[in-house]
Amino acid sequence: MSAIAGIYNFHQEPVNPDYSRNLMNAFELYPADRIHKWCNDSIFFGCHAQWITPESLGEVLPYYDYDKGLVITADAIIDNRDELFDELRIKGNQPKSLPDSQLILLAYEKWGEEVPKHLIGDFAFMIWDKKNQKLFGARDFSGSRTLYFHQSEIQFAFSTTTKSLLSLPYVEKRLNEEWLAEFLAIPSMVEAVSSISTVYKDIQQIPPSHSICVQNDKVTLTRYCNLEANETLKLKSNEEYEEAFQEIFQKVVTSKIRTYGRVGAQLSGGLDSGSVVSFAAKGLRKENKTLHTFSYIPEDDFIDWTPFYFIPDERSYIKETVNYVGNINDEYLSFEGRSPLTELDEFLSIMEMPYKFFDNSFWLKGISEHASKQGIKVLLNGARGNFSISWGSQTLTLNHYASLLKKLRWLQLYKDLGAFCNHFKTEKSHILSIVTKKAFPRISNMLARANQENYKFPLLLNPELAIRTNVAEKLVKYAIDITGNNNEKPNDLRLNHFKHLYTWNKSGTANTKLSLQYGVLDRDPTNDLRVIRYCLSVPEEQYVTNGMERSLIRRATRNYLPDKVRLNQLSRGIQGADAIHRLTGSWKLIYSELKQLTKDSRIEGLLNIDVIKKALDDIGVNPRPEVIFDDSYRVLTRSLTVYRFIKNFTEGR
């Protein structure tokens, strides 16, 4: 993968060489296999390349096709190469060595601005079309690779990083208060609902699933991909759904492990990463390669305080997977002495923005850093699995049983309910009572409303800024409740996850920035377009059949995963449970810094100081380990990351 940048002067003025030099110099902190530039009067393209695939070795980017008058700079790995070769009628020995960037260019020649619809993979690219005097580019459907831009009346500039754009003398580090208002008001891990804005007012980004066209001084963004559950797939048996999943997932995983280097994977004790690892190890065995797995574990002196259904140390489950699957070299990393605080400033610098996954930041960064030292080029994960391959929560299962009850399908309900109670070791009468309330909710809802507590997530945003930015009304349009109460039905929750683009940017930003920092590309087969489309087409009952939540993946991984992992419905892993343990020695410093924050004039107009003071009183100077589940803890850690970012990355040029 690569960091790319460019400048387009609208009125045919030559590109200032200092500006292009500044853009590229900002990439110097990242490792590179080749740095190359292309400039022609009013256009400049640059690429700070990291070679990952066999076809990228020796690749020259930007690439100029003189005959066609097309230039491309790209940060891309295309996964559906074989299909594109057929559609483009590319035959002979050429496909084996053709770089992905040139494949995109050939596809653009055939389909023009429709080209992103034909591409599957992780990509961000820009093409200069000399004949049509047009700049065209796109970002993949989930925004796996970042692409930022700044536009003015006379110029358009783009880059993989905001640091690069901020090197231009006319781009200021002005804080985008509307973006920050969304960040602070949203209770969940979502950063902002605006998929085009960034933390900086002068910088925007191409949203996921969008292309961009710059022509005649006009910038146009177009959405080219919508993920919806359209037609339901109808197969003859459960086994056919399982076989179809296995075929698609193996194809997808195999396309994700295409690299000349070593392949690694993040591995927990659960279904998603376990499934990725089992299919990857099988695919790599054919290449005579070993899969290297990296698993986060707590420090040795951590005392488990969690409820019985949580597993902070998943080694027993991970080792079951490793031994069952085979062809795996497993490592367990505790990152002794590191904490979310020790990595805070560096991680903010890497991310180029505030972030909410405070407790997991240090080990995500640590795994990428360690994998890089081991020669890993591709690092697999299963981060999107909860909404794709392992969809089917307990709530969805019980809702399905309620549907059977309402439709008077007694025999099917009796059979499924018996299997469910057997899995969860509970009484059928108890579950039937819950199902009845779901099937006939009017009375139970009246009772629930009478007893419901009016709890609200603390508003971390300054109330005056909330009014000025109209953030509450804006979030309602995106089905986000600032109180933190989520009453969406499971299927609505899933469809909204794929419908709204704001769910994608967080993972794309982290993956891009970490890959640039360490030269290790994160790839998620559970987030592949082919996998998601298949999973959205599967009938609901496939996810809840045989009395199992997440039924499809449990059945489809028979002979792929050990039963201890595959059939486990009683416990789940939890990363970050040792956050307070790691912060114990430095919590008083955090407490002191947050006290200082409440008196800082730069902050009082942005954050709700009263809420922060209350959270400090609630948590105190000696927090209990279980406060990681407390909203007051989230208020404090989010306040800290925002405070550090504002102090270090928004002042001065």
Side-chain angles (χ1 to χ4, degrees):
M1 305 304 282
S2 308
I4 61 174
I7 295 174
Y8 174 32
N9 287 337
F10 295 150
H11 305 308
Q12 305 300 314
E13 291 291 327
V15 173
N16 187 321
D18 289 337
Y19 295 175
S20 58
R21 189 180 304 112
N22 290 345
L23 281 180
M24 297 303 293
N25 286 347
F27 296 150
E28 287 182 349
L29 69 160
Y30 306 127
D33 294 300
R34 171 176 279 166
I35 300 170
H36 190 61
K37 308 169 188 177
W38 178 90
C39 188
N40 186 356
D41 297 327
S42 60
I43 291 284
F44 165 79
F45 275 8
C47 183
H48 189 92
Q50 296 176 346
W51 296 334
I52 301 293
T53 66
E55 299 81 15
S56 68
L57 293 172
E59 181 181 16
V60 176
L61 278 172
Y63 172 76
Y64 178 36
D65 189 320
Y66 179 83
D67 293 333
K68 298 180 176 66
L70 298 174
V71 188
I72 184 170
T73 188
D75 173 21
I77 288 187
I78 303 303
D79 293 329
N80 61 327
R81 286 170 59 90
D82 291 341
E83 290 82 357
L84 289 172
F85 292 151
D86 289 340
E87 293 181 78
L88 297 170
R89 298 181 179 179
I90 302 173
K91 299 180 179 179
N93 294 323
Q94 184 185 5
K96 295 180 181 179
S97 58
L98 188 69
D100 289 332
S101 58
Q102 292 182 38
L103 183 57
I104 294 172
L105 212 55
L106 290 171
Y108 174 77
E109 186 183 7
K110 178 178 177 64
W111 292 300
E113 293 184 20
E114 297 291 303
V115 63
K117 296 180 180 180
H118 298 267
L119 304 178
I120 294 176
D122 300 345
F123 60 82
F125 64 85
M126 295 296 289
I127 294 171
W128 170 242
D129 186 336
K130 183 178 180 180
K131 178 181 178 181
N132 295 300
Q133 291 293 291
K134 176 172 65 177
L135 192 65
F136 176 80
R139 194 174 171 203
D140 69 69
F141 86 99
S142 68
S144 298
R145 311 302 296 176
T146 55
L147 193 54
Y148 304 100
F149 67 92
H150 169 85
Q151 66 179 102
S152 66
E153 293 181 356
I154 61 172
Q155 190 177 80
F156 177 90
F158 66 89
S159 177
T160 302
T161 72
T162 59
K163 288 186 185 78
S164 180
L165 291 176
L166 289 169
S167 73
L168 299 173
Y170 46 83
V171 182
E172 300 180 13
K173 288 184 177 180
R174 294 189 296 162
L175 187 67
N176 185 346
E177 289 190 348
E178 291 194 0
W179 185 95
L180 186 65
E182 294 174 21
F183 181 92
L184 295 172
I186 297 172
S188 70
M189 298 297 285
V190 170
E191 291 152 347
V193 294
S194 172
S195 56
I196 189 174
S197 66
T198 74
V199 69
Y200 294 111
K201 195 169 185 65
D202 285 3
I203 297 176
Q204 295 178 298
Q205 60 183 323
I206 300 175
S209 294
H210 276 69
S211 62
I212 189 167
C213 180
V214 186
Q215 191 174 31
N216 299 325
D217 304 353
K218 183 180 179 182
V219 177
T220 305
L221 289 166
T222 304
R223 183 164 183 172
Y224 65 83
C225 177
N226 287 279
L227 281 172
E228 297 177 1
N230 294 323
E231 294 186 13
T232 300
L233 182 65
K234 296 180 180 180
L235 300 179
K236 295 179 181 179
S237 65
N238 291 344
E239 290 73 21
E240 288 192 6
Y241 286 103
E242 296 157 21
E243 291 169 3
F245 171 83
Q246 291 166 356
E247 181 180 350
I248 291 171
F249 201 59
Q250 187 65 67
K251 179 179 181 179
V252 165
V253 171
T254 300
S255 70
K256 303 292 185 190
I257 60 177
R258 180 168 59 98
T259 178
Y260 74 87
R262 292 182 172 185
V263 179
Q266 295 181 26
L267 178 59
S268 70
L271 283 169
D272 296 325
S273 64
S275 298
V276 170
V277 162
S278 63
F279 282 80
K282 179 181 178 182
L284 287 170
R285 187 177 283 111
K286 296 179 181 179
E287 300 180 25
N288 293 318
K289 284 186 174 182
T290 300
L291 179 65
H292 299 261
T293 63
F294 307 99
S295 304
Y296 168 69
I297 57 174
E299 292 179 303
D300 289 340
D301 57 348
F302 168 71
I303 299 174
D304 186 4
W305 54 269
T306 61
F308 71 92
Y309 45 82
F310 281 137
I311 313 171
D313 187 343
E314 300 180 74
R315 268 177 287 191
S316 65
Y317 287 86
I318 295 169
K319 288 182 180 294
E320 285 277 345
T321 295
V322 169
N323 293 333
Y324 186 88
V325 172
N327 194 37
I328 293 175
N329 178 22
D330 51 324
E331 292 190 59
Y332 303 87
L333 307 171
S334 63
F335 305 110
E336 298 287 333
R338 295 193 189 186
S339 76
L341 184 65
T342 61
E343 312 298 305
L344 178 57
D345 287 337
E346 186 178 355
F347 203 78
L348 281 170
S349 178
I350 291 172
M351 287 288 292
E352 304 185 304
M353 60 186 286
Y355 56 90
K356 292 182 176 179
F357 48 98
F358 180 78
D359 295 334
N360 296 329
S361 58
F362 73 96
W363 65 261
L364 289 171
K365 172 179 173 291
I367 286 179
S368 291
E369 184 179 11
H370 182 80
S372 177
K373 294 175 181 177
Q374 305 302 311
I376 303 298
K377 288 296 180 182
V378 167
L379 184 65
L380 303 173
N381 68 76
R384 195 71 62 183
N386 283 343
F387 288 93
S388 58
I389 66 170
S390 65
W391 177 247
S393 65
Q394 188 174 120
T395 301
L396 180 69
T397 306
L398 295 176
N399 284 350
H400 178 68
Y401 296 161
S403 176
L404 293 178
L405 179 60
K406 290 174 69 175
K407 294 176 182 177
L408 305 181
R409 294 175 59 184
W410 304 109
L411 291 177
Q412 187 65 48
L413 175 63
Y414 183 83
K415 177 183 176 182
D416 288 354
L417 205 59
F420 180 89
C421 293
N422 182 55
H423 288 308
F424 286 96
K425 302 182 178 8
T426 187
E427 294 294 329
K428 188 178 293 186
S429 58
H430 171 65
I431 301 302
L432 186 58
S433 173
I434 297 174
V435 169
T436 302
K437 290 177 181 178
K438 286 181 174 290
F440 307 103
R442 182 173 297 176
I443 297 176
S444 59
N445 283 349
M446 291 173 58
L447 294 172
R449 282 195 294 271
N451 297 318
Q452 188 177 30
E453 295 182 13
N454 293 318
Y455 175 77
K456 295 182 179 180
F457 187 88
L459 184 63
L460 185 52
L461 174 64
N462 180 291
E464 293 182 4
L465 181 58
I467 293 171
R468 190 162 70 247
T469 57
N470 199 27
V471 67
E473 184 176 329
K474 184 188 299 183
L475 296 183
V476 167
K477 295 179 181 178
Y478 289 89
I480 293 180
D481 188 341
I482 63 173
T483 68
N485 296 311
N486 188 352
N487 298 315
E488 284 186 289
K489 296 179 180 179
N491 278 330
D492 292 339
L493 177 67
R494 187 192 198 195
L495 292 176
N496 280 332
H497 180 85
F498 290 117
K499 174 184 177 182
H500 295 304
L501 297 175
Y502 60 74
T503 59
W504 306 104
N505 271 330
K506 173 176 66 69
S507 56
T509 302
N511 290 347
T512 301
K513 306 303 174 58
L514 285 171
S515 73
L516 289 177
Q517 187 78 14
Y518 299 109
V520 177
L521 177 62
D522 277 270
R523 308 220 67 196
D524 182 2
T526 69
N527 189 47
D528 185 272
L529 197 55
R530 295 161 291 186
V531 169
I532 292 173
R533 283 175 171 159
Y534 173 77
C535 291
L536 287 177
S537 73
V538 170
E540 177 184 297
E541 57 266 22
Q542 282 298 314
Y543 294 106
V544 299
T545 192
N546 293 345
M548 292 189 290
E549 59 171 357
R550 307 182 178 195
S551 178
L552 177 60
I553 190 65
R554 295 185 194 279
R555 294 171 3 241
T557 53
R558 189 184 300 111
N559 301 324
Y560 284 84
L561 287 174
D563 286 352
K564 179 177 178 177
V565 173
R566 186 175 69 87
L567 301 179
N568 175 31
Q569 298 185 86
L570 300 178
S571 58
R572 56 176 296 184
I574 175 173
Q575 287 88 32
D578 61 341
I580 297 299
H581 169 80
R582 291 178 181 271
L583 292 169
T584 298
S586 52
W587 185 260
K588 289 183 179 179
L589 293 175
I590 295 176
Y591 188 89
S592 176
E593 185 172 353
L594 289 169
K595 280 285 190 182
Q596 178 184 342
L597 174 158
T598 63
K599 303 172 185 177
D600 195 318
S601 60
R602 294 169 295 186
I603 300 299
E604 60 184 0
L606 302 174
L607 274 62
N608 192 329
I609 302 301
D610 290 337
V611 165
I612 296 172
K613 287 179 177 179
K614 184 180 184 304
L616 284 168
D617 291 340
D618 290 344
I619 301 297
V621 294
N622 294 301
R624 296 168 287 105
E626 57 268 28
V627 300
I628 65 165
F629 294 131
D630 197 305
D631 285 340
S632 292
Y633 175 75
R634 295 186 181 92
V635 163
L636 296 182
T637 55
R638 291 178 186 182
S639 300
L640 181 64
T641 58
V642 169
Y643 187 42
R644 288 278 186 97
F645 183 83
I646 289 174
K647 286 197 301 182
N648 297 336
F649 301 100
T650 62
E651 296 178 353
R653 272 290 318 137

